[in-house]
């Protein structure tokens, strides 16, 4: 079987994650990378041993031998690059958000459907083994009817007013930050696991650092903690550091989520609890190989990831035996494996978070922003 030929556009933090996990696939070959300048692309290529590097992504889209494109660039560039890639007939994985607006995302959904290409938004957290196990436990009614969902996604990488990143700037990252950047991951995971849709939201958003110190030179995501005072300039901030959001699901279930990017000591913690009429489930993204199962009339259980203990469908998300941890990078491996399989057999595309998932989260973000602005419950479009 001839390998799929893959190109990655964008060489930042997540671009490197994509490159490393493309190379873990048996049926795909990384053949090229692109970035905003030829120099950036060349330096990245030299570091990771990629011969073909360019400062113009269109050069790669014009190459008929390239089958798949991964878009790992800043948010504001997603729409034009994805549009061009789909128009060129490439299968596309795009980092979230899919676009900067519901209108742009809707256009991409329609275009991908018209061109018949396999497409996905990178909601990689779906692909942890114990997340797949939770989904199966809900689907097989082991949890019972869903009554309530609660949780949080908290980080501290923007804790100080000297912490800075392009995601803080609405013209680059979008009108929402904490909700769009991490809250969308939480909402996608919860809807995926429970099979329930969030129908209404009531949100309270806050910006605790209305002015931040912007470095006078570019820095990478999660970096820049060693700069001196002379290296900064003041920048007004309008995107939120924090959000508390009440949720109403279809089926009458209720929920609440907190998102926070100024939570000291929490590096990247997604936590979710699902409470049903038979059992409760709890999962912590910083301890992804453990799944808590709660009972009213019996002992609680801590399921440590072991393929032999997982539901048959969840077992396919675990490549290592019990006692061997599988983490963040492994979710991309599982995601890409299924994406490339769908490129060969389109009937498998239903297992992916397609562009429709990206559109869905943009609708949720739009509703959250509207709710906070109006201090009222808002229906999700």
């Amino acid at each position: 079987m001839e390998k799929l030929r893959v190109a990655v556009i964008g060489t930042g933090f997540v671009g490197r994650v994509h490159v490393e996990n493309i190379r873990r696939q048996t049926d795909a070959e990384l053949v090229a990378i692109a970035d905003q300048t030829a120099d950036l692309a060349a330096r990245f290529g030299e570091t990771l041993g990629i011969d073909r590097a360019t400062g113009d992504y269109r050069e790669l889209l014009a190459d008929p031998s390239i089958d798949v494109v991964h878009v790992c660039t800043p948010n504001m560039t997603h729409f034009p690059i994805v549009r061009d890639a789909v128009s060129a007939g490439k299968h596309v994985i795009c980092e979230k958000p899919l676009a900067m607006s519901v209108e742009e995302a809707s256009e991409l959904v329609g275009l991908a459907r018209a061109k018949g290409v396999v497409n996905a938004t990178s909601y990689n957290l779906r692909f942890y083994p114990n997340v797949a196990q939770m989904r199966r436990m809900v689907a097989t009614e082991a949890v019972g009817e869903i009554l309530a969902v609660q949780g949080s996604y908290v980080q501290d990488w923007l804790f100080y007013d000297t912490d800075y990143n392009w995601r803080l700037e609405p013209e680059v990252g979008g009108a929402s930050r904490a909700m769009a950047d991490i809250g969308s991951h939480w909402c996608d995971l919860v809807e995926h696991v429970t099979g329930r849709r969030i129908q209404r939201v009531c949100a309270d958003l806050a910006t605790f650092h209305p002015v931040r110190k912007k470095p006078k030179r570019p820095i990478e995501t999660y970096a820049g903690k060693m700069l001196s005072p002379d290296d900064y300039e003041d920048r007004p901030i309008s995107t939120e550091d924090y959000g508390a959001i009440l949720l109403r699901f279809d089926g009458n279930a209720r929920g609440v989520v907190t998102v926070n990017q100024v939570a000291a000591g929490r590096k990247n913690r997604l936590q979710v609890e699902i409470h049903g009429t038979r059992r409760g489930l709890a999962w912590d993204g910083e301890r992804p190989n453990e799944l808590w199962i709660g009972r009213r009339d019996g002992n609680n259980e801590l399921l440590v990831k072991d393929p032999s203990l997982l539901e048959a469908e969840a077992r396919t998300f675990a490549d290592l035996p019990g006692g061997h941890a599988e983490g963040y990078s492994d979710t991309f491996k599982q995601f890409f494996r299924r994406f490339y399989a769908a490129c060969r057999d389109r009937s498998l595309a239903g297992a992916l978070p397609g562009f429709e998932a990206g559109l869905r989260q943009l609708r949720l973000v739009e509703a959250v922003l509207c709710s906070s602005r109006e201090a009222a419950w808002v229906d999700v479009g």
Side-chain angles (χ1 to χ4, degrees), residues 118-119 126-127 135 192 338 342 345-354:
V118 180
N119 57 90
R126 294 186 182 193
F127 298 90
R135 178 174 162 87
H192 175 69
R338 287 159 174 80
D345 180 355
R346 305 302 172 83
S347 69
L348 301 176
L352 302 171

Side-chain angles (χ1 to χ4, degrees), residues 20 41 52 56 65 67 75 83 114 150 157 199 207 220 283 331 361 368:
E20 291 173 349
R52 186 176 178 185
D56 186 355
S65 73
D67 305 298
N75 299 357
R83 180 192 57 202
Q150 63 192 50
W157 71 292
Q199 292 188 321
T207 303
E220 288 189 15
W283 183 77
T331 65
Q361 292 307 315
V368 164

Side-chain angles (χ1 to χ4, degrees), residues 91-293:
H91 306 301
V92 178
I93 294 176
C94 181
E95 273 299 317
K96 57 90 193 142
L98 178 59
M100 293 282 275
S101 69
V102 167
E103 292 74 22
E104 288 181 348
S106 297
E107 181 178 335
L108 295 178
V109 168
L111 182 61
R113 187 178 297 127
K115 298 293 287 188
V117 299
V118 180
N119 57 90
T121 315
S122 189
Y123 288 110
N124 62 293
L125 303 185
R126 294 186 182 193
F127 298 90
Y128 278 107
N130 275 346
V131 169
Q133 175 71 6
M134 286 194 291
R135 178 174 162 87
R136 287 301 302 158
M137 291 182 71
V138 171
T140 58
E141 300 185 353
V143 177
E145 179 186 353
I146 302 298
L147 302 176
V149 183
Q150 63 192 50
S152 61
Y153 199 154
V154 295
Q155 304 171 321
D156 72 356
W157 71 292
L158 294 172
F159 182 73
Y160 295 111
D161 66 354
T162 51
D163 293 328
Y164 204 88
N165 181 265
W166 56 260
R167 290 170 177 81
L168 291 154
E169 301 173 3
E171 64 272 21
V172 181
S176 170
R177 177 176 23 101
M179 176 59 195
D181 190 29
I182 56 178
S184 63
H185 267 303
W186 190 93
C187 291
D188 178 80
L189 185 147
V190 163
E191 290 192 331
H192 175 69
V193 168
T194 65
R196 299 291 187 184
R197 288 281 186 134
I198 298 167
Q199 292 188 321
R200 306 191 76 203
V201 297
C202 184
D204 179 25
L205 306 181
T207 303
F208 296 125
H209 293 304
V211 176
R212 285 182 179 264
K213 307 294 185 182
K214 180 179 180 178
K216 295 177 181 177
R217 57 182 174 84
I219 57 172
E220 288 189 15
T221 302
Y222 304 126
K225 297 179 180 179
M226 302 295 291
L227 302 180
S228 67
D230 291 339
D231 292 324
Y232 299 102
E233 60 186 12
D234 285 351
R235 164 78 191 222
I237 300 299
S238 61
T239 55
E240 77 277 2
D241 294 313
Y242 170 91
I245 306 149
L246 295 173
L247 310 167
R248 290 185 184 175
F249 294 81
D250 58 16
N252 207 37
R254 298 295 198 268
V256 61
V257 60
T258 300
V259 293
N260 188 349
Q261 293 185 310
V262 293
R266 292 299 187 189
K267 304 307 175 186
N268 189 50
R269 183 178 189 246
L270 183 153
Q271 191 271 340
V272 61
E273 292 191 11
I274 300 169
H275 299 286
T277 54
R278 294 178 180 171
R279 288 181 177 85
L281 301 175
W283 183 77
D284 180 346
E286 288 189 342
R287 305 176 68 90
N289 291 275
E290 298 177 0
L291 175 62
W292 180 89
I293 303 169

